[in-house]
Amino acid sequence: MDVSLLESALHDRGEPAYRAQQVWEWTARGAAGYDAMTNLPRALREALEADVPFSTLAVETQGESRDGTVKTLFRTADGHPVEAVLMRYRDGRRSLCLSSQSGCPLTCTFCATGQMAFGRNLTAWEIVDQALHFRRIEPVDHAVFMGMGEPMLNLDEVLAAARRLPALGITHRRTTISTVGWLPGLKRFVSDVDEPIRLALSIHAADDELRSQIMPVNVRYPLREVLAECRRHYAITNRRVFVEYVMLNGVNDSPEQGRALAELLGPKGFKVNLIPYNPTGMYDGSSRTRIAAFKAQLDRAHVPATVRLTRGRDIEAACGQLAAAPKERQRTVASAR
Ligand code: SF4
């Protein structure tokens, strides 16, 4: 819901200022539409229905994985595809993976989004509407900006969206913004953001040569500079930076590379998530044995590390798999449950 549009529509009708807050509160609590907002006069509900779209996004397809993960493909009003994911964990957590752009201009080689055409930055409302869609399905409590796009390339809209999430039940401490190391945005995030929003860095290699091959952004902003900003974040906030490391068989997953990562990060300031790779064509995922041997190097150096649970692999909703699959393919996937 575009709340700015809502506010001007209410203003034009001479409605009191508190009406916008009433509508927002209903929406954030998961109301299905204006009609559910029973403390608004019926005539006003009908007028809003006509003047202010309840969502800036239209749902095109939706698939549900065997593990309960839900992936939704949306369209913006001007036709751009956007995907977002609801992950359901056994401990009850309900975590959203949100997109900040339609497509992505950075071309990380392991990522399906990076292989599709870049559309544009999303507005804050288009980001919030992804979260609201899932809030209408059930209560949600965590969010990660790890869907399509590089959030630091669209930081103002991402932050504006993140600041709306507590109304949906997602506190700042349970919100994570992830970057591949887009330095201008990262510097602003570290310097300017006062809210306790978590930071994640997708690192995927411990040396510049390999990292530049996997992630061209590293040619522009090398590891040393990016890690210096992450350390500054830790020094200011005392909150560890999550380090994402996707395990690519025979590429970045040897024990020596594990040792190099441990040395690079050190025991303070970071927490590593090793991510089993969800093949999108170019690479194979590492075996469990190789992941365990890699993790042992981090354990030995007292660098906190976990292996991430993969969710939604069968509906291509897992990390690196968001690529706005065509309608037909998504339907097939959804119906194969
Ligand atoms: S990993 Fe992130 S930054 Fe890299 S291409 Fe994919 S969406 Fe873009």
Side-chain angles (χ1 to χ4, degrees):
M1 169 178 293
D2 182 338
V3 175
S4 319
L5 179 63
L6 171 74
E7 284 168 348
S8 74
L10 290 168
H11 181 264
D12 291 351
R13 288 180 56 86
E15 291 288 338
Y18 64 80
R19 286 285 187 223
Q21 185 59 22
Q22 279 180 316
V23 173
W24 167 247
E25 281 170 8
W26 275 103
T27 309
R29 288 200 305 262
Y34 293 113
D35 209 36
M37 302 178 185
T38 46
N39 57 353
L40 265 60
R42 180 175 294 278
L44 176 58
R45 285 184 261 158
E46 286 169 2
L48 289 176
E49 192 76 55
D51 294 345
V52 185
F54 194 60
S55 176
T56 58
L57 301 174
V59 174
E60 193 162 299
T61 56
Q62 184 157 286
E64 185 168 336
S65 162
R66 281 185 291 274
D67 64 21
T69 301
V70 180
K71 178 169 85 165
T72 306
L73 170 62
F74 304 94
R75 285 274 160 196
T76 63
D78 57 346
H80 291 288
V82 178
E83 285 187 326
V85 180
L86 162 67
M87 291 162 287
R88 295 171 166 139
Y89 293 93
R90 286 209 187 118
D91 63 6
R93 271 179 303 145
R94 296 291 179 263
S95 185
L96 305 180
C97 180
L98 303 175
S99 291
S100 55
Q101 300 178 308
S102 173
C104 180
L106 307 182
T107 49
C108 304
T109 54
F110 57 85
C111 171
T113 308
Q115 315 311 313
M116 64 182 276
F118 174 58
R120 63 166 170 79
N121 284 342
L122 300 180
T123 66
W125 305 122
E126 287 166 339
I127 299 170
V128 172
D129 272 325
Q130 297 165 48
L132 285 169
H133 169 74
F134 295 113
R135 177 63 189 85
R136 289 192 278 277
I137 297 175
E138 65 190 74
V140 290
D141 49 30
H142 286 71
V144 292
F145 285 83
M146 283 186 198
M148 290 178 163
E150 161 56 40
M152 297 298 175
L153 279 168
N154 188 21
L155 186 60
D156 290 331
E157 300 299 309
V158 165
L159 288 173
R163 287 174 177 136
R164 288 276 172 179
L165 294 181
L168 281 68
I170 302 168
T171 63
H172 292 320
R173 287 177 200 284
R174 292 174 167 185
T175 300
T176 302
I177 296 180
S178 177
T179 179
V180 291
W182 186 261
L183 207 54
L186 177 57
K187 284 185 171 173
R188 275 188 55 214
F189 178 87
V190 174
S191 297
D192 299 347
V193 175
D194 294 327
E195 295 88 348
I197 294 171
R198 306 297 301 243
L199 174 65
L201 171 68
S202 290
I203 195 166
H204 310 321
D207 67 274
D208 279 317
E209 193 184 339
L210 177 59
R211 192 165 191 268
S212 295
Q213 280 171 29
I214 301 176
M215 309 165 75
V217 67
N218 191 74
V219 175
R220 194 157 173 179
Y221 302 121
L223 267 174
R224 185 176 41 80
E225 293 176 33
V226 171
L227 286 175
E229 272 316 293
C230 292
R231 290 199 168 93
R232 193 162 73 87
H233 176 73
Y234 179 65
I236 295 170
T237 65
N238 207 30
R239 283 190 296 279
R240 286 179 192 269
V241 175
F242 297 129
V243 170
E244 311 292 327
Y245 195 101
V246 68
M247 301 296 295
L248 307 172
N249 187 41
V251 176
N252 66 353
D253 66 342
S254 71
E256 294 72 37
Q257 286 164 320
R259 216 162 26 243
L261 181 65
E263 261 172 41
L264 183 71
L265 299 178
K268 259 175 64 180
F270 297 98
K271 180 171 184 292
V272 178
N273 275 320
L274 300 176
I275 307 171
Y277 183 57
N278 304 294
T280 56
M282 188 154 172
Y283 302 103
D284 292 324
S286 309
S287 66
R288 281 187 191 184
T289 320
R290 278 183 81 82
I291 295 175
F294 189 97
K295 180 173 178 293
Q297 298 298 329
L298 296 164
D299 293 344
R300 192 167 300 155
H302 306 290
V303 178
T306 51
V307 179
R308 179 182 291 169
L309 267 180
T310 291
R311 315 296 296 172
R313 189 181 275 197
D314 56 323
I315 56 164
E316 299 184 6
C319 284
Q321 288 189 318
L322 300 190
K327 263 184 195 175
E328 299 68 28
R329 195 160 139 229
Q330 286 231 339
R331 286 225 179 87
T332 313
V333 168
S335 60
R337 292 170 56 199

